[in-house]
Amino acid sequence: MPAKSLQELFVEELKDTYDAEKRLTRALPKMAKAATATELKAAFTSHLKETEGQVRRLEKVFRAVGEKPKGKTCHGIMGIVEEGNKMIEELDKGPVLDAALIAGAQKVEHYEIASYGTLAYFAEMMDYGEAKDLLGETLDEEKAADANLTTLAMSRVNQQALRNAGAEDEEDEGFAIPASIRRAGLFGSLANDSSGRGTRKRSTARRATKKR
Ligand code: FE
Ligand code: ZN
Ligand code: FE
């Protein structure tokens, strides 16, 4: 049904987003399973919990504006999830698949940020105070999820940059990172968790640099 008013458009967008979140509760466990890096697995698992909460929060939004919770196929998220599934099928587990998973996950978060930003703004325009607050809460969670994925990607870039500075021969202990990826300086520490092993290796790399 084509939306003829802002009110109708708002409800159509709510249905789209409700469908999107439900799809993501099915996609995130697969992404966690496909990820190799411990902290990436953890990021997907914790965002799954958050996403389940977002589904319930959307149900509250529907009720707050006098509508029944109902989904309508979100082709945008369906497409991004399909692309992710293809990556999982085609790529071996490891740093390249992890990089692809981060890229796909960030596309999802950006899509959601656009959806919730619009929904919260519509709710504000129509004086749906409660709906606006609820949508704003999820908007903040999606922004934080996106920032966390950026941090995960960037921390690897930084560590790889340090390693390149002086420890070219140093191999990751977890799994082999293809030389092409290491040279590109991307995701170089995928095998490291945040428990301090990375820190130790960083200081090793720094000492190696000083010796030159
Ligand atoms: Fe979400
Ligand atoms: Zn959509
Ligand atoms: Fe999300």
Side-chain angles (χ1 to χ4, degrees), residues 3 9-10 20 22 33 47 59 82-83 111 124 136 142 147 152 156 159 167 173 178 182 190 194:
L9 181 61
F10 175 74
K22 284 185 154 182
K33 207 175 156 216
H47 198 52
E59 290 164 356
E82 270 170 22
E83 286 178 356
Y111 189 102
E124 185 176 20
E142 308 294 20
L152 283 180
R156 290 169 194 142
Q159 289 205 13
E173 290 146 21
R182 293 173 56 205
L190 280 168
S194 54

Side-chain angles (χ1 to χ4, degrees), residues 21 24 47 51 54 108-109 112 142 145:
E21 295 289 15
L24 294 169
H47 198 52
T51 302
Q54 292 169 355
V108 167
E109 297 315 325
E112 292 183 303
E142 308 294 20

Side-chain angles (χ1 to χ4, degrees), residues 94-172:
V96 176
L97 178 56
D98 278 5
L101 290 170
I102 291 179
Q106 288 202 281
K107 286 178 193 175
V108 167
E109 297 315 325
H110 282 234
Y111 189 102
E112 292 183 303
I113 289 164
S115 300
Y116 282 103
T118 301
L119 282 168
Y121 179 60
F122 283 179
E124 185 176 20
M125 282 172 69
M126 293 183 295
D127 276 329
Y128 288 141
E130 189 191 350
K132 188 220 152 195
D133 290 347
L134 291 165
L135 293 163
E137 274 177 52
T138 300
L139 178 61
D140 288 345
E141 285 177 1
E142 308 294 20
K143 284 180 182 171
D146 178 53
N148 184 43
L149 288 165
T150 300
T151 304
L152 283 180
M154 294 297 284
S155 67
R156 290 169 194 142
V157 174
N158 291 346
Q159 289 205 13
Q160 181 62 30
L162 283 163
R163 195 170 308 163
N164 278 352
E168 200 59 61
D169 54 343
E170 198 179 335
E171 286 297 331
D172 252 280

Side-chain angles (χ1 to χ4, degrees), residues 16 74-77 111:
D16 177 281
C74 176
H75 294 276
I77 287 295
Y111 189 102

